Amino acid sequence: MVNGQELSYLLRLVIQRIFAAFVTLGVVSMVVFAAIELLPGDACQAFLGQMAQGQRLANCRAEHQLDKSPIERYGIWAAGLAQGDLGNSIKRSKPLEEVIGPRFRNTVILGLTAAGIGIPMAIALGVIAAWFRERKVDFWISGVAIFFMTIPDFITGTLLISLFSVWLGWLPGIVIMRVDAPITEVFSQIGLPVLTLMLVMIAHIMRMVRSSMIDVLASEFVMMATLKGLPRWRLLLLHALPNALLPAINLIALNIAWLMGGVLVVEVVFNYPGIGRLSVNAIADRDLPLVQAIALLMAAIYVSLNLLADLLTLMLSPKLRTQRVQP
Amino acid sequence: MSGAEQTMRLVLRSTSGKVGVALVIFHIVLAIVSPWVVPYDFNAQSEVLEHMGPSLAHWGGLDTLGRDVFTRTLLGGREALLVTIFGTAIAMVWGSLFGMFSGFKGGRTDEFMMRAVDTFLAIPFMILLLLVIASFGNSVIVLMLTLGFLYGIGVIRLARAATLGEVTKDYVLAAQARGESVWVILLAEILPNIRDALMVEAAMRWSWMLLAFSALSFLGFGVTPPTPDWGLMIANARIYMPLAPWPVLLPMIALSSLIIGINLMADALAKSLGLDRVQRMPL
Amino acid sequence: MSLPLLKIDGLSIGYEGADGVAVPIVNQVDLQLEEGSTLGLVGESGCGKSTLLLALMGYYDSGLARLAGKVALLGKDPGALNEADLQLFRGGDVALIPQNAGQALTPTLKIEAQMLEALRLHTPLPAASRQDRILQLFDRVQLPDPANLLGRYPHELSGGQQQRVALAMALAGNPKVLLLDEPTTGLDVTTQQAVLALLSEIALESQTAMVFVSHDIGVIGAVCERVAVMYAGEIVELGACNQILQHPRHPYTQALLSSIPKLGQAWAFKAPTSIQQGQDRRLSGCAYAPRCEYVGPTCLKQKPRLTRDQDREVKCVQLSEIARMVAPAGGHKGESKMVGQEYVLSVNNLSVSYDHTGWWPFASRQERKLTVREVSFDIVRGQTLGLVGESGSGKSSILRTLIGLQKSFEGEAQLLDKFDLTTPVAHRSKACLSKIQMVFQNPDASLNPRQSIFAALARPLRIYFRLSEPEIRAEVERLMAAVQLPMEYSARYPGQLSGGERQRVAIARALASKPDVLLCDEITSALDVSVQASIIQLLKDLKDAQGLTLLFVSHDLPVVMALADDVAILQRGQICESGRVEQIFNAPEHPYTQSLIKAVL
């Protein structure tokens, strides 16, 4: 029963959050721009390295408008961003959208597949571990989780390659595909990278769900529901789980965003043509405009994930949703 | 009541705590003494064939350049430990101070700080790290300061949250009413009460920083060859793994045992301080 | 006589101690309850009353287990039921009304869903008529506008409404026994009154038996026919409620009753022989012996049994002894001395609003909400002003303002005619800071847990006075003596003291600067009644000995009346009535004051 008052309040909150996300992104774009500005030398010097002299440098600077003042350049960049124009790559001399676009698609496919399979599994495992806490089931689930969240993902990846690809020969190890390969081909190749990402993701999220669930199971309303004579499944799924997930949603989003940073290493390990590997190459090539664009893109992913989590929490939590409409 | 001693005893009571502390101490001692105990010069190339498997002379075999893997593994954690230990210290100090101040001040100062922290967390830290290293070089000082700065941002959040839990308590009000200065309240009244949370956080942060550092070396940005380093060794040798597993496995075991050791220690610490319910975020 | 509805035989509940020996929380309890009758369980916190109550539903907190004894409720032993039967038993045969309904209702489910659930599980009603039944039940518990409540979430209801919903939910399954776990503790005095009235009405009408747990024997008296007084997991006295209330026989019951201040009666408090609070459960003799003023040699050696004594059962071997020692020591109301008419504290037209923070462009601009409206009062040296009000009446805001921690307020406040108390604490002079000190509600929170008692007492001394280390030590010794604590305690940490001792330390710390005014913010409400009484006694002693001026804030009218010379009643941020204590009590004029006094009588 969402009445008008509640709806308008909800709407205002949503607009507020979206506005805040845009403000954050705006500030992030300034910080990213400033950070790159602060580095010694400009983009052309960095890219040309030893050859940054005379006419060559001047040409490059003219081409990338480096002869203008930083504030002017930020203005041009920001105006371009607003229209979806990210600028030009120095190395590849083509629009950044063309460079980033297909690789971004590949990374999104990788991330969404891992999250889509991983999150439900993590929630289920977390609930099971919490219910059987301090018992054998919990011991094994938690132990394996600690293992996968501690060891570096390049080790997990390397081990998975040796196991599933070299030893058992079940899945392709190194990804060999064109950047703009059709989706079906992408799916046929991403088994191991998805598995690597998923293991880390499940480990982290499962731990959160478990501890949140344990807290909720110790709460008074769960005790009350028990004493009301509720069957166990009802108690877990209807009374405990929603309340355990609420505080975890934000953490899960933050975690996924953080894991997306780890995509960088996983993509290098599997030679996967995504945005993570692109960013490593861009830095190695000193292609600063490209680095700048990728950094902003990743920040945008982070901010939108947070926004999504905020909105989801808002939708699911009656307390937040109806704060102002108290009797 | 010697808090530190009591805490240590509690940590050591659990098996996982014992194992964790033992692993961590082992690695630190090794990092200090290894230059004097290694059997070979880490850079000396053997005349024998490449990819030679383990032998009596070379326990871990040789790598692609014919260097002794065992020697390089023993030495491979020195820079990582140096950078991450001091980096964690830097992160904890500046993060705690800012976080406590922000939480205590509240109001607009706090709101502004939190917006700033949110903004910084949105910037992909791996790219930032790589960029800084690409521009300023990968000297130990640059790595320490950059990692210390980046990982301190997360500490601000935690220290602030812990402080918020304390400032509403009456002992802080009582101190304010008594006319104590802000820094006395922060350092003498609040800090001792959030010390536990900060200690656990420091241990966790150390392990995350180590993860980041090893990822950097894996990507070739951490240490300059020929300095031996686990991440770099794994990166260089991994494609030959089906043929010669030792040059990959030894550094893997070394790195994993250190990180797992730190985590076991952190978990035991958290449990013994009753803080294992706190949900933590890497960064 | 019919078969008893509930029969408990030698029930012990406990946990395994570190040395492997079982520590009982509830010790050898025998109880019976007839159909439709009401029984109260009263005792201090930690006496095992809630544990006993939950055991009747077959529920034990983690770590606890039944050590011995039998429970038979309607002939069923909840411990022996299988899971399906236990689910039917809970909520069907016996239902619980929790202490804090706000916490006990699932926050993410609407009231309707939670009520329907109870009905579906425990009644044969067809789905169509469940809605009507809910409305009936809501009507029964006197919830206004029941239809509107259904679509709400628990947090959208007031505390009293939540408690009524919990009651309706408990009644849904037509249980034979209702278990009530401090059901009114979290409520305001007036709401509490209404809920209690409803409970006794239900008890009378519906022939539902009740077991009512409370730390407040007065509350029990309002609802129950019989009462069992518990101490250290044992029942020490059991009998008809009015008999026990009027003529307590067990020394503990006597102490419990005498430590509750009553309106209209002179304060007659006998300090317990020991202020130590811990309840030792492993004594070979009587558990109460260490605190008992009538303790005899047999008490220490032999565990007493609950034995029949005229109209009740009492667990004490010294009864005849006690009866002989008729000791109605006539209390005396401290003579209020009129030493000149110096105003120590004057407050004029003080208004306080919420501190508003935030600079969010979309944040709806909240209209400035006043928590305190134009409050004025003066306190003469050596006098005590009691400020009474329910939670949210703005009494704490006044104290925060006076101590300089409130940001947004208007009005004047003067200390000793020379210090302006509207200055925030950061800008006050040391002289001003030292003249006005505050004691906080909860000593657990107001003492830094990581600071030794000595350090806590030395802090103010170091700030306000230039003293050498030996002088500080001497001062600390004087302060510890003033609050009647041994000097050895100064090396301890707050966690190693009892609640009452901690509050004494907090008082000592406030006295360190030799203040002219002491602000007391609900300083007894976090304590057990007997401890509360000793703290009030301490304040009275200090007042008489040192001519201390007190501003004593409390929600508890009897406590204020026991201590104060003048009283001011706060209602929604305004003083609705003020005057001398006797005058206000004997002839309250304002209807709110009248209702407050009626509520506690």
Side-chain angles (χ1 to χ4, degrees), chain A residues 20 24 27-28 31-32 35-36 38-40 134 146-147 149-156 158-159 161-162 166 174 204 207-215 247-248 251-252 254-255 258 261 264-265 268-271 279-280 283-284 286 288 291 294-296 298-300 302-303, chain B residues 115 117-136 151 157 204 207-208 210-211 214-216 218-219 221 230-232 234-235 238-239 241-242 248-249 251-253 255-257 259-264 267 271 276-283:
Chain A
T24 312
V27 179
V28 168
V31 175
V32 167
I36 287 184
L38 282 176
L39 296 177
E134 311 285 319
I146 288 180
F147 182 78
M149 65 190 279
T150 17
I151 63 170
D153 31 18
F154 59 87
I155 291 188
T156 317
T158 309
L159 289 177
I161 293 177
S162 332
V166 179
I174 304 292
H204 273 100
R207 289 252 293 185
M208 281 175 190
V209 173
R210 175 183 179 268
S211 70
S212 183
M213 193 71 185
I214 288 178
D215 284 346
L251 285 166
I252 290 176
L254 278 173
N255 221 309
W258 176 76
L264 204 129
V265 178
V268 171
V269 170
F270 291 96
N271 196 38
S279 66
V280 178
I283 291 168
R286 312 289 159 107
L288 293 187
V291 174
I294 295 175
L296 195 66
M298 287 198 159
Y302 175 93
V303 170
Chain B
R115 294 270 151 230
V117 166
D118 280 350
T119 310
F120 266 100
L121 287 179
I123 298 170
F125 80 107
M126 208 58 194
I127 292 184
L128 205 61
L129 260 174
L130 293 176
L131 203 56
V132 169
I133 293 165
S135 310
F136 293 98
Y151 278 81
R157 273 198 161 182
M204 292 308 299
S207 86
W208 295 330
L210 203 56
L211 277 179
S214 60
L216 282 179
F218 179 80
L219 295 173
F221 284 77
W230 297 327
L232 198 58
I234 296 171
R238 72 184 173 98
I239 44 167
M241 191 161 167
V248 189
L249 284 182
M252 268 188 185
I253 293 168
L255 178 56
S256 305
S257 68
I259 297 188
I260 290 177
I262 298 175
N263 272 279
L264 288 178
D267 274 6
K271 211 167 241 172
D276 48 340
R277 297 256 59 83
V278 183
Q279 300 180 339
R280 278 163 206 291
M281 273 306 304
L283 249 195

Side-chain angles (χ1 to χ4, degrees), chain C residues 152-174:
Chain C
R152 289 181 184 268
Y153 288 97
H155 73 274
E156 297 177 274
L157 309 184
S158 70
Q161 286 172 326
Q162 289 168 343
Q163 204 63 53
R164 282 169 204 268
V165 169
L167 181 56
M169 205 179 293
L171 293 174
N174 276 322

Side-chain angles (χ1 to χ4, degrees), chain C residues 44-73:
Chain C
E44 291 172 16
S45 51
C47 74
K49 52 191 192 301
S50 294
T51 308
L52 175 59
L53 193 76
L54 291 177
L56 301 184
M57 300 189 88
Y59 187 93
Y60 302 94
D61 276 333
S62 65
L64 292 183
R66 192 198 293 191
L67 301 175
K70 268 189 284 182
V71 176
L73 212 155

Side-chain angles (χ1 to χ4, degrees), chain B residues 61-82:
Chain B
L62 300 173
D63 67 4
T64 41
L65 294 175
R67 298 174 299 192
D68 183 56
V69 171
F70 184 64
T71 300
R72 292 180 67 80
T73 306
L74 289 187
L75 294 167
R78 302 189 75 216
E79 191 162 330
L81 276 171
L82 183 70

Side-chain angles (χ1 to χ4, degrees), chain B residues 1 107-108 111-112 115 169-171 173-174 176-180 184 188-190 192-193 195-196, chain C residues 357-359 400 403 405 425 433 440-442 445-451 459-460 463-464 493 509:
Chain B
M1 183 166 72
R108 292 184 184 188
E111 184 128 349
F112 178 77
R115 294 270 151 230
K169 289 190 185 161
D170 286 344
Y171 75 87
L173 279 185
Q176 278 178 284
R178 220 186 299 144
E180 303 269 22
V184 170
E189 300 276 346
I190 295 179
N193 285 293
R195 191 189 62 197
D196 292 354
Chain C
T357 52
W359 39 314
R400 282 181 64 93
I403 209 78
L405 294 175
V425 72
L433 285 170
F440 294 85
Q441 170 169 15
N442 193 340
S446 70
L447 295 176
N448 190 333
R450 294 290 167 97
Q451 233 172 27
R459 256 337 281 178
I463 298 179
Y464 302 127
Y493 284 82
R509 182 177 62 182

Side-chain angles (χ1 to χ4, degrees), chain C residues 186-244:
Chain C
L187 305 175
D188 271 333
V189 193
T190 32
T191 321
Q192 182 178 338
Q193 263 340 90
V195 172
L196 284 179
L198 174 65
L199 285 176
S200 19
E201 193 191 306
I202 286 174
L204 274 179
E205 258 177 38
S206 65
Q207 285 299 302
T208 311
M210 285 186 187
V211 181
F212 192 124
V213 159
S214 177
H215 69 284
D216 187 342
I217 201 165
V219 166
I220 296 229
V223 178
C224 298
E225 300 153 5
R226 286 192 311 149
V227 63
V229 181
M230 284 188 75
Y231 183 81
E234 298 174 24
I235 291 179
V236 294
E237 189 163 358
L238 172 69
C241 214
N242 49 4
Q243 290 295 326
I244 289 186

